[in-house]
Amino acid sequence: MTSIEFKRTGGHPFAAGAASSLPKSRRERLRRALNVSVAVIGLILAAPLMLVIAALVKLTSRGSVFYTQERIGVDRRRRATEPGVDRRRLDDGGRKFTIYKFRTMREGNGDAEVWAEPDDPRVTPIGRILRKYRLDEVPQLFNVLRRDMNVVGPRPEQPSLFKKIRVHVRNYQARQQVLPGITGWAQVTQRYDSSIEDVKGKLALDMEYIGRRSAAEDFRIMVKTVPVVLFKRGAW
């Protein structure tokens, strides 16, 4: 099993601009409405395919159909400025939630902290196909309806991995200003992370997205996701 190695780079995980809270504006409501609408339509259209995938996963390998894992979501701590508001003493980086995916690995091999690699021996034959076309991510549309995620936003990380990265990548926690997403500007631009330098590159792209986010931008990224999925760009 490959372990993750980090090199200390120094710097506080918060930037000055990261202290701003999420705005309750019409622009944000429009973004949320678009993301929820796409999630609902996507679940309806994908329902037959999801049944087929569930059957294939169950019939071709031992274990559950779905894979769940704890991830770090949006950080709303900066909202708690009113007197009497209870602020958590332990800063996990954001609200923890359970993410849903179709299982692509053999049972018992899904929680190790390793970089993605092209020929991961833990991945099942069906799981390899699901990953190629990002079909394992479809159940996360339920996360969108639960307000854990949007369709578009920075990808959420595991809590333990998040804690390690934010120590060694300056301003990493700034990306938690918005709900995480199934796809995003970084996902349609760059491959899976395989090093700290990749993480830094995706952080820059995530911050670009956060700076210009809107319903129109989210729709543009959704459209750009289609050829990424169909032509397996950046997928292993």
Side-chain angles (χ1 to χ4, degrees):
M1 186 176 298
T2 306
S3 61
I4 300 176
E5 296 182 0
F6 295 88
K7 295 182 180 179
R8 185 174 295 275
T9 60
H12 196 276
F14 283 97
S20 61
S21 61
L22 289 171
K24 282 187 175 180
S25 63
R26 184 169 181 271
R27 179 181 177 184
E28 289 300 305
R29 289 195 296 270
L30 284 172
R31 283 188 62 241
R32 180 61 188 167
L34 171 66
N35 280 267
V36 170
S37 298
V38 170
V40 170
I41 294 170
L43 283 171
I44 293 172
L45 295 179
L49 177 61
M50 291 177 70
L51 289 174
V52 172
I53 292 174
L56 289 173
V57 171
K58 191 65 177 177
L59 292 173
T60 57
S61 63
R62 299 173 65 179
S64 60
V65 169
F66 296 103
Y67 170 68
T68 62
Q69 190 179 67
E70 195 172 59
R71 296 290 177 97
I72 297 295
V74 68
D75 182 7
R76 300 190 187 279
R77 288 169 59 91
R78 294 179 292 277
R79 287 176 172 268
T81 56
E82 302 87 354
V85 173
D86 181 26
R87 293 171 60 94
R88 302 188 308 274
R89 291 186 179 182
L90 179 62
D91 179 9
D92 292 317
R95 184 177 68 86
K96 294 180 180 178
F97 70 95
T98 300
I99 200 170
Y100 302 102
K101 304 176 75 171
F102 283 117
R103 180 175 57 82
T104 60
M105 293 187 180
R106 294 176 178 83
E107 192 78 1
N109 286 314
D111 291 319
E113 296 176 5
V114 298
W115 295 116
E117 54 186 44
D119 298 308
D120 193 331
R122 301 171 300 164
V123 179
T124 64
I126 290 297
R128 200 168 301 281
I129 296 173
L130 296 181
R131 287 189 170 198
K132 285 281 188 184
Y133 293 97
R134 314 293 176 104
L135 294 174
D136 58 318
E137 313 281 358
V138 174
Q140 288 165 46
L141 294 173
F142 288 111
N143 285 113
V144 175
L145 300 185
R146 288 167 54 91
R147 295 191 66 85
D148 298 325
M149 303 173 68
N150 273 335
V151 175
V152 178
R155 283 298 295 169
E157 291 288 358
Q158 300 176 49
S160 55
L161 186 56
F162 179 92
K163 289 178 182 178
K164 292 177 181 178
I165 293 175
R166 73 175 177 180
V167 170
H168 302 287
V169 178
R170 183 177 176 82
N171 304 331
Y172 186 70
Q173 191 160 330
R175 69 201 290 275
Q176 307 306 123
Q177 297 175 58
V178 298
L179 286 172
I182 301 173
T183 186
W185 181 234
Q187 281 62 53
V188 299
T189 306
Q190 189 171 310
R191 296 179 65 92
Y192 287 142
D193 300 338
S194 59
S195 69
I196 285 293
E197 291 306 311
D198 289 344
V199 174
K200 292 178 180 178
K202 281 195 173 177
L203 174 60
L205 294 168
D206 286 337
M207 297 310 296
E208 283 181 22
Y209 164 74
I210 290 172
R212 64 173 186 255
R213 69 190 184 276
S214 66
E217 178 67 9
D218 281 8
F219 183 74
R220 185 172 78 94
I221 291 173
M222 291 177 194
V223 171
K224 289 179 71 69
T225 301
V226 174
V228 170
V229 172
L230 292 180
F231 298 108
K232 301 174 286 185
R233 295 175 185 169
W236 289 335

